[in-house]
């Protein structure tokens, strides 16, 4: 049964949200959101260096990258760009460290140390002033980028995901025991959203800043009201997935969420009503039973196009599927040589990018289904990547212990 600890945070005032929010008209004020946390009773809870080389120094047969960051001494699992300038990257790896570095020249701005396990989450706050790093064991640290100091740390159960609030210094995390944590940083004011004892495998704060969508190992999806602390909607049973949630994404205004699962399905959820309004599958809607779950074609990544009514779904078998949002018809299949790890749409075009276990980054035109360009340089699988707002560069991280910066050139730019 969904419940939460008795502490409450009045993050968002008293208004009740009953319709989809137009963010341009009703964007929450960061100061108000932060100030609302002040009266709550909660539990309290290094040197510059360089580790990069230019592509001219690489000895691989093909390296299309502009710069290689090689400070990590183990596989690199995660990467984020700072949201304000897109000039800094943070990467976390198997060496129990994260680095904040300039994408222009690879200069290390901050080395995040003190973790006890592989750093699998590393993200900048909404104003780029802080970076949060989390390791597999559940140690979470927050660093002030400008002063290079650790300003907060906390230890939870095994960490599944970590995300900043879109417009306030509030950090959320999902853990192996099914809890979702929310802290005000750096004070550490804390509350938890509790559910059945299974992993909170993926989570996303919606653009209105008032709700978060969380997917769980048992296939359940919950839309949490961050002010009230209750699950406004629970999608489970026949409407839910038949296997663990692997990924989720929301459209630009947060009215729709797309969820992906090991059951091979991507489901479209109306966040205002909690109703499943669409289902996407390469198997033409054929449901799989629990015994078939491990054999199904797991969905690894999902995303919405901002300028066209399209969604992209990436599968473990290497298929990138482009679906029409309104009709749920499959428009294109884009084939890869190996399983797809992650996809990302460009901010203002119909191009969607994918990284793959074969070590390549590919750009696809969702209108035609054709490949736009392909970038190579890694000697192992790409484990994650991100693209800047202008879609002019991508930063990739890999099992080869390296991060690379690729300049994305297209004829239309």
């Amino acid at each position: 049964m969904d419940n939460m600890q008795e502490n409450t945070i009045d993050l968002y005032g008293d208004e009740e949200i009953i319709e989809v929010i137009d963010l341009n008209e009703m964007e929450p004020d960061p100061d108000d959101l932060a100030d609302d946390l002040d009266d709550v009773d909660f539990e309290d809870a290094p040197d510059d260096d360089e580790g990069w080389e230019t592509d001219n120094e690489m000895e691989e047969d093909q390296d299309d990258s502009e710069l290689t960051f090689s400070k990590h001494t183990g596989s690199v699992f995660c990467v984020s760009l700072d949201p304000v300038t897109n000039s800094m990257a943070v990467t976390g790896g198997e060496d129990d460290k994260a680095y904040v570095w300039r994408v222009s020249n690879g200069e290390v701005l901050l080395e995040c140390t003190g973790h006890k396990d592989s750093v699998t989450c590393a993200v900048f706050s909404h104003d780029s002033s802080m970076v949060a790093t989390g390791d597999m064991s559940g140690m979470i640290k927050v660093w002030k980028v400008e002063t290079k100091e650790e300003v907060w740390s906390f230890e939870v159960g095994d960490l599944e995901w970590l995300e900043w609030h879109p417009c306030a210094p509030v950090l959320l995390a999902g853990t192996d025991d099914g809890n979702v944590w929310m802290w005000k940083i750096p004070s550490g004011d804390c509350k938890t959203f509790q559910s059945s004892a299974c992993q909170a495998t993926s989570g996303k704060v919606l653009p209105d800043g008032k709700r978060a969508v969380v997917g769980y190992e048992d296939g359940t999806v919950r839309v949490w009201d961050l002010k009230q602390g209750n699950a406004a909607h629970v999608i489970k049973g026949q409407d839910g997935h038949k296997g663990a949630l692997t990924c989720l994404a929301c459209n630009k205004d947060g009215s729709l969420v797309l969820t992906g699962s090991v059951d091979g399905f991507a489901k479209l959820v109306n966040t205002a009503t909690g109703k499943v309004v669409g289902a996407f599958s390469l198997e033409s809607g054929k449901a799989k039973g629990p015994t078939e779950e491990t054999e199904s074609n797991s969905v690894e990544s999902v995303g919405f196009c901002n300028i066209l009514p399209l969604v992209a779904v990436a599968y473990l078998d290497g298929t990138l599927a482009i679906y029409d949002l309104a009709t749920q018809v499959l428009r294109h299949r884009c084939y890869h040589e190996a399983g797809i790890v992650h996809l990302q749409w460009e901010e203002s075009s119909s191009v969607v990018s994918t990284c793959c276990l074969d070590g390549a980054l590919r750009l696809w035109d969702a209108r035609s289904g054709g490949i736009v360009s392909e970038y190579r340089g890694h000697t192992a699988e790409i484990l994650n990547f991100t693209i800047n707002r202008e879609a002019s560069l991508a930063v990739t991280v890999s099992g080869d212990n390296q991060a690379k910066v690729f300049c994305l050139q297209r004829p239309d730019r």
Side-chain angles (χ1 to χ4, degrees):
M1 180 174 179
D2 294 295
N3 57 28
M4 59 171 296
Q5 291 178 359
E6 58 186 1
N7 296 334
T8 59
I9 304 179
D10 186 1
L11 270 176
Y12 311 111
D14 295 324
E15 68 271 26
E16 182 179 359
I17 304 302
I18 58 174
E19 296 180 352
V20 175
I21 302 299
D22 184 342
L23 295 181
N24 292 326
E25 297 178 3
M26 300 187 65
E27 185 175 0
D29 183 85
D31 294 332
D32 292 343
L33 291 168
D35 290 344
D36 284 341
L37 282 167
D38 288 339
D39 57 353
V40 182
D41 184 21
F42 290 92
E43 294 183 26
D44 292 327
D47 296 330
D48 285 357
D49 201 353
E50 292 183 353
W52 59 277
E53 54 193 62
T54 65
D55 58 326
N56 293 329
E57 296 171 286
M58 298 295 291
E59 298 179 354
E60 304 304 328
D61 292 337
Q62 179 182 348
D63 188 0
D64 303 316
S65 66
E66 297 297 309
L67 180 144
T68 299
F69 182 86
S70 56
K71 185 67 176 173
H72 287 283
T73 58
S75 294
V76 192
F77 297 121
C78 55
V79 58
S80 299
L81 285 171
D82 83 277
V84 174
T85 68
N86 278 193
S87 65
M88 297 181 291
V90 59
T91 51
E94 191 179 16
D95 54 5
D96 304 353
K97 290 182 180 180
Y99 293 94
V100 178
W101 49 279
R102 293 191 195 281
V103 297
S104 59
N105 60 12
E107 176 192 1
V108 174
L109 302 174
L110 170 62
E111 181 178 347
C112 306
T113 59
H115 282 284
K116 302 186 293 185
D117 206 336
S118 298
V119 176
T120 54
C121 301
V123 281
F124 284 96
S125 60
H126 73 285
D127 60 1
S128 298
S129 67
M130 294 182 287
V131 66
T133 57
D135 67 34
M136 291 179 66
S137 72
M139 174 64 74
I140 302 171
K141 294 176 176 288
V142 175
W143 312 77
K144 194 170 179 63
V145 176
E146 184 179 1
T147 61
K148 305 176 184 178
E149 63 177 329
E150 180 183 322
V151 296
W152 179 83
S153 67
F154 195 83
E155 197 162 359
V156 295
D158 291 353
L159 186 65
E160 294 291 323
W161 55 271
L162 190 64
E163 181 176 306
W164 285 96
H165 191 281
C167 51
V170 173
L171 186 66
L172 285 87
T175 54
D176 187 68
D177 57 10
N179 284 332
V180 175
W181 298 74
M182 182 167 70
W183 302 275
K184 184 183 176 185
I185 306 297
S187 69
D189 300 347
C190 170
K191 69 189 294 188
T192 57
F193 302 79
Q194 297 176 335
S195 60
S196 55
C198 67
Q199 294 176 0
T201 55
S202 54
K204 179 75 176 175
V205 182
L206 294 179
D208 63 15
K210 301 172 184 292
R211 299 168 295 165
V213 179
V214 180
Y216 296 85
E217 187 183 27
D218 63 0
T220 301
V221 178
R222 288 178 172 84
V223 180
W224 289 99
D225 183 316
L226 297 179
K227 176 191 172 184
Q228 301 295 335
N230 64 298
H233 304 293
V234 180
I235 299 97
K236 62 181 180 179
Q238 189 165 353
D239 289 334
H241 287 280
K242 294 180 172 60
L245 269 286
T246 54
C247 54
L248 54 82
C250 67
N251 64 347
K252 202 161 189 178
D253 66 5
S255 60
L256 294 171
V257 165
L258 191 61
T259 62
S261 166
V262 298
D263 66 7
F265 280 86
K267 296 203 172 187
L268 191 65
V269 179
N270 182 313
T271 60
T273 66
K275 300 297 184 183
V276 175
V277 294
F280 306 90
S281 172
L282 289 178
E283 305 300 321
S284 301
K286 185 179 72 171
K288 292 180 170 61
T291 59
E292 299 176 78
E293 178 184 316
T294 56
E295 300 176 6
S296 65
N297 188 14
S298 175
V299 174
E300 297 297 300
S301 189
V302 293
F304 290 86
C305 179
N306 285 337
I307 67 165
L308 293 172
L310 300 174
V311 296
V313 180
Y315 295 89
L316 187 61
D317 73 350
T319 302
L320 172 68
I322 308 296
Y323 294 98
D324 184 276
L325 185 59
T327 65
Q328 299 163 42
V329 170
L330 176 64
R331 295 198 30 178
H332 302 292
R333 288 179 186 243
C334 309
Y335 294 102
H336 296 65
E337 298 172 14
I340 305 169
V341 178
H342 182 61
L343 70 80
Q344 183 177 336
W345 287 93
E346 293 186 356
E347 285 283 327
S348 55
S349 83
S350 60
V351 172
V352 58
S353 299
T354 57
C355 70
C356 190
L357 293 174
D358 66 1
L361 175 73
R362 296 177 176 88
L363 276 60
W364 304 85
D365 184 347
R367 296 177 187 269
S368 66
I371 191 166
V372 176
S373 51
E374 179 178 302
Y375 299 91
R376 291 186 178 270
H378 285 291
T379 58
E381 67 277 9
I382 297 178
L383 299 175
N384 205 347
F385 78 98
T386 189
I387 293 176
N388 66 346
R389 272 188 303 270
E390 296 76 24
S392 59
L393 66 82
V395 185
T396 58
V397 294
S398 168
D400 63 9
N401 304 358
Q402 295 179 334
K404 286 181 177 288
V405 179
F406 293 91
C407 181
L408 305 181
Q409 307 245 351
R410 294 212 312 266
D412 61 344
R413 275 202 284 264

